[in-house]
């Protein structure tokens, strides 16, 4: 339909009057609910304690203690002012940034309210959010690689699952480094399969992805039931140890959150930067994006559309395989059937939420990792929200973004369309 | 829109009248050409090839084969062949029943022994029933150009609605309670299909992403309900109470046969979907929009209504699968009670060329695989998950028939049109 033309015409700076008003009202509503639901329900003298040192870390920082109600009132006021400003003149191109700030304030208020009269280890929460965001973001990066070149990849889940199983099996037989390499290789192979089915044989890309997803569940559970459960020595690859980055890990608060992790977190940072630079500042990335946006034009200019797509999908598969390795050699140290539990699909959601960009995906991955991590802490907070409801947030948020309520994403124009040379 | 239609790769017409020796072609060669041109051949070869590859997997992962390899490769090949053969024999006996046992039971005349001997066959029908519903759901979507990958979630919601209707509505006679609970289940599924439908029609958001998201929302919702409001009193595991007896679907035979009226409802629904798609004006609109949305819009069809209606109806059919499981088989709802009926449906709908009759046949095949696999696991020690591998291969071969054509050297039919199941993320 006409949507793709519309998105091109609509420049990034333009914010429609309706959206400006809707956003303003939303900010005001958030301000109101912080005051009405959180602040008003508290007894005046209650205090909130936020721990600023994650458990087990050597870089200590004293707890942060404040009286809850006044802080909440100030935050509500800030939101209200932002809402008023948005209604009066609008933030223009910075609307989404302000929205992120308001959302952040809301989450902070929620936590302060939930932890009032008790304590919450904030640093621990953020750190586990980052850790939980790793498989999601790596899955999203796999999607970015494929879809920027115009191939839809809903098989991230299957590729991750197979990578996880292979990492365990090969890792147990040799060592975890080779196991991780094998996970990457198997991911690449599945990527090749996806590419052959969808580029060479022009099978529907969603069906091709489904083939991999169904097959991956089948083959990994089969091998797990046949070998891994029977011979435990085949299911103990070991776990990558945490490496503290020398100087950086000593920074209070930031250090323990970002720089006391194992290989996978650092690899995530590395991939993020490489992929961002590669996609947007190199000839390689320009070619790949052009193949995803307008393959015919790219072909006319002498770019080999098929080869570029093959490369992108194989790289995407390898990325997903690496993400699969996280589940076994990166965190648990053993393989269980269907252990990815939909993380690949959350990765797909993070890619959409992050607007098909590496750093956007990382932001979305962090947000989804945060909900994941918060869901496991809800019982401690005792706020009466079922953790399952919180776990729905990534999916609902993605649907809202996809529907264009907070600005339509810029997906590659030729995403999902097979290319036919004429 | 030309990129959706594959150009014929070869032009077999040249061989027809110009060449005089054409007349003298043997009966066999004409037959071979006819057979290779038939789409049914591809379907059958896809199934057979997938089964062969499944057998290969069994042989390659068999410990007996590894042991035999140490002695001689030839022995290993023989052992592998035997392992695969015994696997499929167990699969067949689990799916249809052992002919010898059936015969002996009939001769003995013992009613219970007869039921036991014939139980595998009925179990196949029980397994096929939800697959017929979900397969029809996918097929209806494909016909309207929509890829409803969310049948699994719609099935869950249908089951939740049906189980609630079965538990909380009391004091109705079965003749009213059963259809009511069934329809409420369908309504739940329809609701879960409506949301992606309206989002697609109004905002262009792709139904594949939205249905995937709705799947996971449904899973989380069912987990929450089963740990909270729907959990059976005095239960420590997340499981609902049993439904009222008046809401249970009718059964016809004594234990152990679980066969129930759901199968008959599924057949009726298959006929209704056929009638709707091919004999009504609305069905024509569906198929027209599915083939070419732009042309349909210019000819005055209401794409918005068709899209919303198609997704809702597809969801309703998937919801019926959930209702069928709850009212006919389990009589309660447990976490993760469905083992992927909604995902199998993708392969079934493609296998059946999105035609209701094809869907029924495909569902029977997959039901037989599922029910046979349980026996196979017990008898041959082969994990049940091999079924998923076989299904993935079937799906791959059906989605890319060129693979089958290449392997078996089939001729490419002159009028080959690539089928369009869904379009790119961004609408059309």
């Amino acid at each position: 339909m006409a949507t793709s033309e519309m998105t091109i015409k609509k420049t990034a700076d333009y914010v429609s009057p309706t959206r400006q008003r809707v956003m303003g009202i939303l900010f005001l509503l958030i301000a109101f609910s912080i005051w009405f639901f959180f602040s008003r329900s508290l007894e005046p003298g209650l205090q909130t304690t936020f721990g600023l040192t994650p458990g087990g870390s050597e870089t200590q920082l004293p707890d942060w203690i404040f009286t809850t109600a006044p802080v909440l009132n100030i935050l509500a006021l800030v939101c209200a002012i932002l809402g008023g400003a948005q209604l009066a003149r609008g933030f223009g191109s910075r609307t989404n940034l302000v929205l992120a700030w308001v959302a952040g304030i809301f989450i902070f208020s929620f936590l302060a309210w939930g932890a009032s009269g008790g304590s919450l280890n904030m640093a621990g929460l953020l750190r586990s959010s980052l850790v939980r965001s790793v498989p999601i973001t790596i899955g999203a990066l796999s999607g970015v690689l494929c879809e920027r070149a115009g191939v839809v990849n809903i098989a991230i889940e299957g590729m991750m699952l197979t990578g996880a199983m292979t990492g365990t099996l090969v890792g147990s037989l040799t060592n975890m480094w080779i196991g991780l390499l094998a996970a990457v290789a198997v991911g690449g192979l599945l990527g090749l399969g996806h590419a052959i089915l969808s580029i060479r044989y022009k099978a529907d890309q969603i069906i091709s992805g489904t083939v991999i997803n169904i097959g991956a569940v089948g083959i990994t559970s089969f091998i797990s039931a046949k070998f891994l459960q029977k011979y435990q020595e085949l299911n103990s690859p070991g776990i990558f140890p945490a490496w503290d980055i020398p100087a950086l890990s000593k920074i209070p608060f930031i250090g323990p959150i970002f720089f006391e992790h194992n290989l996978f977190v650092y690899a995530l940072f590395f991939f993020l930067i490489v992929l961002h630079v590669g996609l947007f500042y190199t000839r390689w990335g320009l070619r790949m994006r052009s193949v995803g946006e307008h393959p015919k034009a790219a072909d006319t200019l002498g770019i080999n559309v098929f080869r570029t797509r093959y490369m992108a999908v194989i790289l995407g598969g390898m990325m997903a395989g690496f993400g699969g390795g996280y589940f076994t050699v990166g965190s648990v140290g053993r393989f269980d059937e269907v252990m990815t539990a939909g993380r690949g699909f959350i990765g797909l959601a993070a890619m959409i939420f992050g607007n098909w960009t590496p750093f956007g995906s990382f932001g979305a991955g962090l947000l989804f990792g945060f909900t994941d991590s918060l869901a496991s802490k809800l019982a401690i907070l005792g706020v009466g929200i079922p953790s399952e409801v919180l776990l729905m947030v990534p999916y609902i948020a993605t649907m809202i973004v996809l529907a264009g309520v907070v600005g339509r994403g810029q997906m590659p124009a030729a995403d999902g369309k097979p290319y036919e040379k004429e | 829109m030309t990129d959706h239609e594959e150009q014929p790769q070869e032009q077999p017409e040249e061989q027809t009248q110009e060449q005089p020796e054409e007349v003298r072609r043997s009966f066999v060669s004409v037959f071979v050409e006819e057979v290779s041109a038939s789409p049914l051949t591809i379907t059958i070869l896809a199934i057979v090839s997938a089964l062969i590859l499944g057998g290969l997997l069994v042989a390659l992962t068999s410990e007996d084969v590894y042991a035999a390899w140490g002695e001689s490769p030839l022995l290993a090949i023989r052992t592998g062949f035997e392992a695969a053969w015994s696997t499929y024999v167990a699969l067949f006996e689990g799916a249809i029943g052992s002919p010898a046992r059936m015969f002996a039971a009939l001769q003995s005349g013992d009613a219970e022994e007869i039921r036991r001997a014939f139980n595998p066959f009925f179990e196949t029908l029980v397994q096929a029933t939800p697959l017929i519903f979900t397969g029809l759901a996918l097929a209806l979507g494909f016909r309207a150009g929509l890829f409803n990958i969310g049948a699994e979630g719609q099935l869950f919601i249908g089951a939740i609605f049906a189980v609630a209707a079965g538990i909380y509505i009391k004091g109705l006679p079965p003749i009213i309670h059963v259809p009511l609970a069934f329809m409420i289940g369908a309504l739940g599924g329809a609701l879960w299909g409506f949301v992606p439908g309206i989002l697609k029609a109004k905002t262009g958001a792709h139904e594949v992403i939205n249905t995937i998201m709705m799947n996971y929302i449904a899973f989380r919702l069912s987990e929450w309900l089963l740990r909270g409001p729907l959990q059976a009193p005095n239960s420590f595991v997340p499981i609902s109470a049993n439904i009222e007896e008046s809401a249970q679907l009718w059964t016809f035979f004594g234990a152990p046969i679980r066969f129930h009226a759901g199968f008959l409802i599924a057949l009726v629904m298959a006929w209704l979907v056929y009638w709707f798609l091919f004999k009504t004006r609305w069905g024509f609109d569906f198929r027209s929009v599915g083939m070419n949305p732009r042309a349909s819009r210019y000819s005055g069809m209401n794409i918005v209504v068709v899209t919303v209606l198609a997704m809702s109806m597809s969801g309703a059919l998937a919801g019926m699968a959930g209702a069928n499981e709850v009212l006919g088989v389990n009589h309660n709802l447990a976490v993760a009670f469905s083992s992927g009926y909604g995902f199998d449906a993708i392969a079934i709908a493609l296998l059946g060329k999105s035609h209701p009759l094809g869907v029924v046949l495909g569902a029977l095949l997959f039901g037989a695989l599922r029910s046979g696999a349980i026996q196979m696991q017990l008898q041959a020690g082969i994990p049940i998950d091999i079924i998923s591998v076989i299904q993935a291969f079937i799906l791959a071969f059906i989605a890319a028939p060129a693979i089958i054509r290449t392997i078996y050297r089939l001729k490419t039919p002159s009028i080959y049109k690539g089928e369009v199941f869904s379009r790119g993320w961004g609408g059309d």
Side-chain angles (χ1 to χ4, degrees):
Chain A
M1 299 177 201
T3 44
S4 52
E5 290 113 54
M6 265 170 57
T7 40
I8 293 165
K9 275 180 207 147
K10 198 194 272 181
T11 55
D13 296 343
Y14 175 73
V15 177
S16 75
T18 329
R19 224 189 117 212
Q20 185 190 332
R21 248 167 261 144
V22 169
M23 283 296 158
I25 292 166
L26 181 72
F27 296 169
L28 287 179
L29 274 178
I30 287 175
F32 175 75
S33 47
I34 292 175
W35 173 73
F36 186 81
F37 292 110
F38 300 158
S39 172
R40 237 171 45 104
S41 68
L42 292 171
E43 289 168 38
L46 275 182
Q47 287 190 321
T48 297
T49 307
F50 278 147
L52 297 183
T53 311
S57 174
E58 287 168 14
T59 313
Q60 300 285 333
L61 201 70
D63 288 349
W64 179 26
I65 304 170
F66 58 89
T67 313
T68 320
V71 172
L72 287 185
N73 286 336
I74 293 169
L75 291 176
L77 193 67
V78 171
C79 283
I81 292 170
L82 286 174
Q86 170 75 1
L87 275 182
R89 54 179 197 92
F91 287 100
S93 61
R94 285 187 296 276
T95 306
N96 277 351
L97 191 70
V98 178
L99 175 69
W101 273 102
V102 172
I105 290 176
F106 180 77
I107 293 169
F108 181 87
S109 312
F110 170 77
L111 292 176
W113 169 70
S116 60
S119 78
L120 175 75
N121 191 338
M122 192 65 141
L125 186 68
L126 291 178
R127 181 163 136 152
S128 81
S129 305
L130 177 64
V131 170
R132 281 165 200 252
S133 79
V134 169
I136 299 173
T137 311
I138 290 183
L141 293 183
S142 161
V144 169
L145 271 166
C146 297
E147 304 213 354
R148 279 288 179 175
V151 179
V152 164
N153 184 8
I154 64 164
I156 302 166
E157 175 85 3
M159 293 168 172
M160 278 192 169
L161 191 60
T162 320
M165 197 276 295
T166 315
T168 304
L169 191 62
V170 178
S172 305
L173 291 170
T174 54
N175 66 49
M176 50 195 183
W177 281 100
I178 299 179
L180 183 59
L181 276 182
V184 172
V186 148
L189 270 180
L190 286 179
L192 179 67
H194 185 45
I196 289 177
L197 272 177
S198 57
I199 300 170
R200 168 128 187 251
Y201 290 107
K202 297 193 178 65
D204 186 285
Q205 296 174 1
I206 291 160
I207 293 173
S208 165
T210 310
V211 167
I212 294 175
N213 281 336
I214 294 178
V217 171
I219 194 85
T220 56
S221 304
F222 182 86
I223 291 176
S224 169
K226 188 103 194 170
F227 297 115
L228 299 186
Q229 283 168 18
K230 220 188 276 177
Y231 309 104
Q232 283 300 320
E233 66 270 20
L234 289 180
N235 199 2
S236 48
I239 305 171
F240 276 94
W243 298 321
D244 297 0
I245 304 266
L248 295 171
S249 67
K250 295 284 174 269
I251 308 170
F253 193 61
I254 308 239
I257 291 176
F258 287 100
F259 303 111
E260 288 181 4
H261 292 286
N262 68 11
L263 170 78
F264 285 88
V265 175
Y266 306 133
L268 170 65
F269 295 149
F270 175 74
F271 287 143
L272 266 180
I273 293 164
V274 167
L275 202 54
H276 177 76
V277 173
L279 267 181
F280 298 110
Y281 299 100
T282 66
R283 199 165 64 171
W284 173 83
L286 184 66
R287 288 184 168 182
M288 203 165 113
R289 286 184 291 134
S290 71
V291 164
E293 295 289 348
H294 203 312
K296 202 172 281 181
D299 199 3
T300 315
L301 293 172
I303 299 170
N304 189 332
V305 174
F306 295 116
R307 208 174 61 197
T308 311
R309 286 192 169 175
Y310 265 100
M311 176 212 61
V313 179
I314 292 170
L315 282 179
M318 289 166 76
M319 183 72 84
F322 182 83
Y326 166 81
F327 288 93
T328 49
V329 290
S331 62
V332 189
R334 52 171 289 120
F335 179 79
D336 298 307
E337 288 180 20
V338 209
M339 73 186 302
T340 46
R343 289 305 193 311
F345 286 117
I346 303 191
L348 185 74
M351 174 200 73
I352 296 160
F353 202 93
N355 209 1
W356 285 264
T357 62
F359 276 98
S361 302
F362 181 51
L366 275 181
L367 184 67
F368 296 168
F370 177 76
T371 55
D372 202 2
S373 152
L374 187 61
S376 63
K377 291 208 165 58
L378 273 183
I380 307 168
L381 287 177
V383 289
I385 297 175
S387 61
E388 288 90 352
V389 172
L390 200 61
L391 288 174
M392 291 177 196
V393 167
Y395 310 112
I396 297 172
T398 303
M399 289 177 72
I400 292 174
V401 167
L402 201 62
V405 178
V406 278
R408 184 177 293 283
Q410 301 268 345
M411 72 183 69
D415 206 1
K417 290 175 192 161
Y419 178 63
E420 302 235 10
K421 219 173 156 74
E422 276 164 19
Chain B
M1 298 303 288
T2 47
D3 54 349
H4 293 319
E5 289 164 7
E6 270 195 28
Q7 294 298 316
Q9 285 158 356
E10 290 170 34
Q11 301 283 342
E13 293 133 293
E14 292 162 18
Q15 308 171 348
T16 44
Q17 264 120 33
E18 284 88 48
Q19 294 161 312
E21 67 266 24
E22 188 68 24
V23 189
R24 273 180 270 122
R25 276 177 54 195
S26 75
F27 163 74
V28 175
S29 90
V30 173
F31 176 72
V32 166
E33 195 178 298
E34 289 285 313
V35 166
S36 27
S38 150
L40 193 63
T41 312
I42 303 272
T43 308
I44 291 168
L45 285 177
I47 297 169
V48 170
S49 315
L51 286 173
I52 291 172
L53 286 171
L56 205 61
L57 177 68
V58 169
L60 286 179
T61 56
S62 158
E63 279 141 325
D64 296 343
V65 174
Y66 297 158
W69 184 261
E71 291 182 32
S72 83
L74 215 63
L75 184 69
I77 291 171
R78 221 187 99 192
T79 321
F81 185 76
E82 278 166 5
W85 179 254
S86 68
T87 302
Y88 282 126
V89 167
L91 186 74
F92 180 82
E93 288 186 356
I96 311 288
S98 144
R101 191 176 171 193
M102 285 176 177
F103 196 63
L106 281 177
Q107 271 187 333
S108 74
D110 176 13
E112 190 175 342
E113 179 54 28
I114 293 179
R115 285 206 297 272
R116 279 184 194 285
F118 282 89
N119 188 32
F121 170 71
F122 285 107
E123 195 56 28
T124 291
L125 299 187
V126 170
Q127 293 284 352
T129 309
L131 294 174
I132 296 177
F133 285 118
T134 51
L136 288 173
L138 264 290
L140 190 77
F142 282 144
R143 286 285 179 181
L146 295 163
F147 199 147
N148 178 11
I149 214 164
E152 188 79 358
Q154 291 145 12
L155 182 152
F156 264 79
I157 300 298
I160 290 170
F161 272 56
V163 87
I167 295 171
Y168 297 116
I169 301 176
K170 292 187 197 309
L172 287 178
I175 196 73
I176 300 171
H177 200 174
V178 172
L180 182 70
F182 208 84
M183 293 316 287
I184 289 177
L187 185 74
L191 190 73
W192 226 241
F194 172 80
V195 176
I198 192 97
L199 285 174
K200 163 100 178 181
K202 290 289 183 192
T203 72
H206 200 283
E207 78 276 7
V208 166
I209 303 176
N210 276 335
T211 47
I212 290 175
M213 300 299 135
M214 297 284 284
N215 271 347
Y216 282 94
I217 297 174
F219 299 158
R220 299 287 167 265
L221 189 68
S222 73
E223 281 164 22
W224 173 61
L225 286 172
L226 288 175
R227 282 184 232 284
L230 262 181
Q231 190 171 24
N234 313 323
S235 168
F236 297 105
V237 286
I239 193 165
S240 82
N242 274 358
I243 56 170
E244 295 285 306
E245 218 158 281
S246 57
Q248 295 179 1
L249 275 166
W250 300 280
T251 53
F252 306 100
F253 310 101
I257 297 179
R258 299 195 294 171
F259 181 76
H260 57 87
F263 183 71
L264 307 176
I265 303 176
L267 291 185
V268 171
M269 287 315 299
W271 184 80
L272 276 177
V273 169
Y274 164 77
W275 174 79
F276 175 81
L277 276 178
F278 297 98
K279 303 287 170 195
T280 66
R281 193 180 70 83
W282 275 107
F284 179 79
D285 284 9
F286 271 45
R287 290 183 292 132
S288 166
V289 170
M291 277 180 195
N292 194 337
R294 206 167 285 188
S296 308
R297 192 171 55 201
Y298 294 144
S299 73
M301 290 175 194
N302 192 335
I303 308 264
V304 170
V305 174
V306 167
T307 304
V308 174
L309 202 61
M311 279 307 288
S312 306
M313 286 172 67
S314 178
L317 284 164
M320 285 180 195
N324 169 77
E325 287 301 282
V326 165
L327 305 177
V329 181
N330 300 326
H331 300 150
N332 61 23
L333 184 63
V335 168
F337 78 101
S338 160
S339 41
Y341 294 119
F343 297 119
D344 285 9
I346 302 165
I348 291 170
L350 293 182
L351 203 54
K353 304 274 173 222
S354 299
H355 188 286
L357 182 63
V359 166
V360 171
L361 294 176
L364 285 173
L365 173 73
F366 276 47
L369 283 178
R370 269 171 177 269
S371 121
I374 300 163
Q375 184 69 18
M376 178 191 71
Q377 188 165 21
L378 290 175
Q379 224 174 68
I382 303 297
I384 201 164
D385 311 286
I386 193 176
I387 296 304
S388 303
V389 180
I390 294 176
Q391 284 173 2
F393 279 124
I394 294 181
L395 190 54
F397 293 145
I398 295 289
I403 300 178
I404 291 290
R405 287 209 189 88
T406 315
I407 296 175
Y408 297 95
R409 317 265 162 119
L410 295 184
K411 296 223 167 66
T412 314
S414 50
I415 324 161
Y416 174 69
K417 271 184 71 183
E419 282 161 283
V420 183
F421 299 111
S422 70
R423 299 180 176 77
W425 280 156
D428 57 352

